[in-house]
Amino acid sequence: MARAFRVERAIGNNVLLTADLQTEREYVIFGKGLGFSLKAGQTIASTDPRIEKRFRLDDTEQMKQYHSYLEEIDPGIIEVTERIADHIKQNTGVDVNPKLYFALPSHIQFAVYRLRNGMDIVNPFLNETKKNFPMEYEIAARLAEWISTQFEIEVPEDEIGFLSFHIHSGIHNVPVGQLIKQTDQQ
């Protein structure tokens, strides 16, 4: 008998927070349109062909943080994150690391907050970022356009540089903090 997951919450159009019916372990499931087609309380078989990826939340503290995180993130930011993940896959052929779905929305939410409140965003690594990560910078510029449109703000070039780190991290599975250290040492 195939395992099944109970939908706890649709996070976005393509992301579900679920619980394994047998173990009650929580999983984040990714798949095109899953958030449209499934609602809280419904089940989905682990063999469902729409499931593209599963990400298990092992740590109890991690689960609590993720639940809290979901309450704080603007749904529009989740939507923009999904669009960028699809854009990356279409343009590079690479599935992004599932951690992008956690790190990028948090970063975007804080950037939107700072921009709406007139706070400066200064990126001392901008020139190095453009030079070392040109593809990621181009994708981040597209993301910045979507953020600008969605939230009616102007995203400065310095922020595009920071977004580039998240894009690179999502493609190459390298923590953003490690990228900043590498760039700082160049």
Side-chain angles (χ1 to χ4, degrees):
M1 180 169 96
R3 289 177 29 207
F5 299 99
R6 178 183 60 252
V7 176
E8 299 293 317
R9 181 175 180 178
I11 298 168
N13 300 336
N14 304 316
V15 185
L16 297 172
L17 178 63
T18 67
D20 184 304
L21 288 175
Q22 294 174 348
T23 66
E24 288 298 316
R25 283 190 170 158
E26 289 191 296
Y27 288 82
V28 178
I29 295 178
F30 302 90
K32 196 92 173 144
L34 288 177
F36 278 132
S37 61
L38 296 167
K39 305 297 176 221
Q42 293 181 304
T43 60
I44 182 170
S46 64
T47 57
D48 190 304
R50 297 174 297 174
I51 297 175
E52 296 172 14
K53 287 182 236 165
R54 276 190 294 248
F55 185 72
R56 189 172 79 204
L57 299 175
D58 290 326
D59 181 359
T60 304
E61 190 58 36
Q62 183 185 33
M63 285 189 295
K64 287 179 189 173
Q65 287 177 346
Y66 190 65
H67 282 276
S68 170
Y69 163 82
L70 287 176
E71 299 304 320
E72 297 171 7
I73 296 294
D74 183 309
I77 290 173
I78 299 292
E79 179 185 323
V80 168
T81 301
E82 290 175 346
R83 286 178 67 191
I84 202 63
D86 288 343
H87 183 76
I88 290 168
K89 185 172 183 173
Q90 290 172 2
N91 288 282
T92 67
V94 174
D95 284 328
V96 298
N97 183 305
K99 291 181 181 179
L100 179 87
Y101 288 93
F102 307 113
L104 187 58
S106 179
H107 178 87
I108 293 170
Q109 180 125 331
F110 189 53
V112 168
Y113 171 82
R114 289 184 315 215
L115 293 169
R116 283 185 173 160
N117 288 287
M119 300 167 85
D120 288 335
I121 296 176
V122 178
N123 185 341
F125 312 114
L126 182 60
N127 290 329
E128 293 87 350
T129 302
K130 290 167 77 173
K131 178 180 156 196
N132 295 323
F133 307 116
M135 176 191 67
E136 292 86 343
Y137 186 85
E138 184 179 315
I139 292 170
R142 182 73 178 131
L143 173 57
E145 289 174 18
W146 293 337
I147 293 169
S148 293
T149 301
Q150 179 85 18
F151 299 101
E152 299 176 349
I153 57 172
E154 189 63 37
V155 177
E157 189 175 30
D158 288 276
E159 178 58 25
I160 294 171
F162 286 129
L163 292 169
S164 299
F165 287 144
H166 284 279
I167 302 302
H168 185 83
S169 175
I171 294 170
H172 299 286
N173 196 22
V174 177
V176 172
Q178 185 177 337
L179 289 172
I180 291 172
K181 286 179 189 174
Q182 288 174 353
T183 303
D184 191 30
Q185 295 170 356
Q186 293 179 355

mmCIF file of all heavy atoms in Angstrom, residues 24 31 52 64 93 104:
data_model
loop_
_atom_site.group_PDB
_atom_site.id
_atom_site.type_symbol
_atom_site.label_atom_id
_atom_site.label_comp_id
_atom_site.label_asym_id
_atom_site.label_seq_id
_atom_site.Cartn_x
_atom_site.Cartn_y
_atom_site.Cartn_z
ATOM 1 N N GLU A 24 2.977 10.711 10.795
ATOM 2 C CA GLU A 24 2.670 12.084 11.205
ATOM 3 C C GLU A 24 3.859 13.035 11.028
ATOM 4 O O GLU A 24 3.826 14.160 11.506
ATOM 5 C CB GLU A 24 2.142 12.163 12.650
ATOM 6 C CG GLU A 24 0.724 11.630 12.796
ATOM 7 C CD GLU A 24 -0.310 12.409 11.975
ATOM 8 O OE1 GLU A 24 -0.282 13.655 11.949
ATOM 9 O OE2 GLU A 24 -1.164 11.746 11.345
ATOM 10 N N GLY A 31 4.907 20.658 -6.386
ATOM 11 C CA GLY A 31 4.392 20.123 -7.640
ATOM 12 C C GLY A 31 3.479 21.131 -8.297
ATOM 13 O O GLY A 31 2.710 21.833 -7.631
ATOM 14 N N GLU A 52 6.680 16.688 -7.501
ATOM 15 C CA GLU A 52 8.009 16.830 -8.091
ATOM 16 C C GLU A 52 9.102 16.663 -7.051
ATOM 17 O O GLU A 52 10.168 16.122 -7.343
ATOM 18 C CB GLU A 52 8.136 18.200 -8.767
ATOM 19 C CG GLU A 52 7.193 18.369 -9.932
ATOM 20 C CD GLU A 52 7.169 19.781 -10.480
ATOM 21 O OE1 GLU A 52 8.058 20.586 -10.155
ATOM 22 O OE2 GLU A 52 6.232 20.083 -11.241
ATOM 23 N N LYS A 64 8.439 24.162 14.035
ATOM 24 C CA LYS A 64 7.798 25.307 14.698
ATOM 25 C C LYS A 64 8.146 26.612 13.978
ATOM 26 O O LYS A 64 7.287 27.462 13.761
ATOM 27 C CB LYS A 64 8.245 25.393 16.155
ATOM 28 C CG LYS A 64 7.648 24.343 17.043
ATOM 29 C CD LYS A 64 8.169 24.485 18.465
ATOM 30 C CE LYS A 64 7.747 23.314 19.319
ATOM 31 N NZ LYS A 64 8.377 23.346 20.637
ATOM 32 N N GLY A 93 17.353 24.459 -16.643
ATOM 33 C CA GLY A 93 17.118 23.021 -16.607
ATOM 34 C C GLY A 93 17.382 22.415 -15.237
ATOM 35 O O GLY A 93 17.358 21.204 -15.076
ATOM 36 N N LEU A 104 14.457 32.527 0.346
ATOM 37 C CA LEU A 104 14.150 33.646 -0.537
ATOM 38 C C LEU A 104 12.928 34.447 -0.085
ATOM 39 O O LEU A 104 12.999 35.680 -0.040
ATOM 40 C CB LEU A 104 14.007 33.170 -1.987
ATOM 41 C CG LEU A 104 13.848 34.263 -3.036
ATOM 42 C CD1 LEU A 104 15.023 35.233 -3.027
ATOM 43 C CD2 LEU A 104 13.704 33.628 -4.421
#
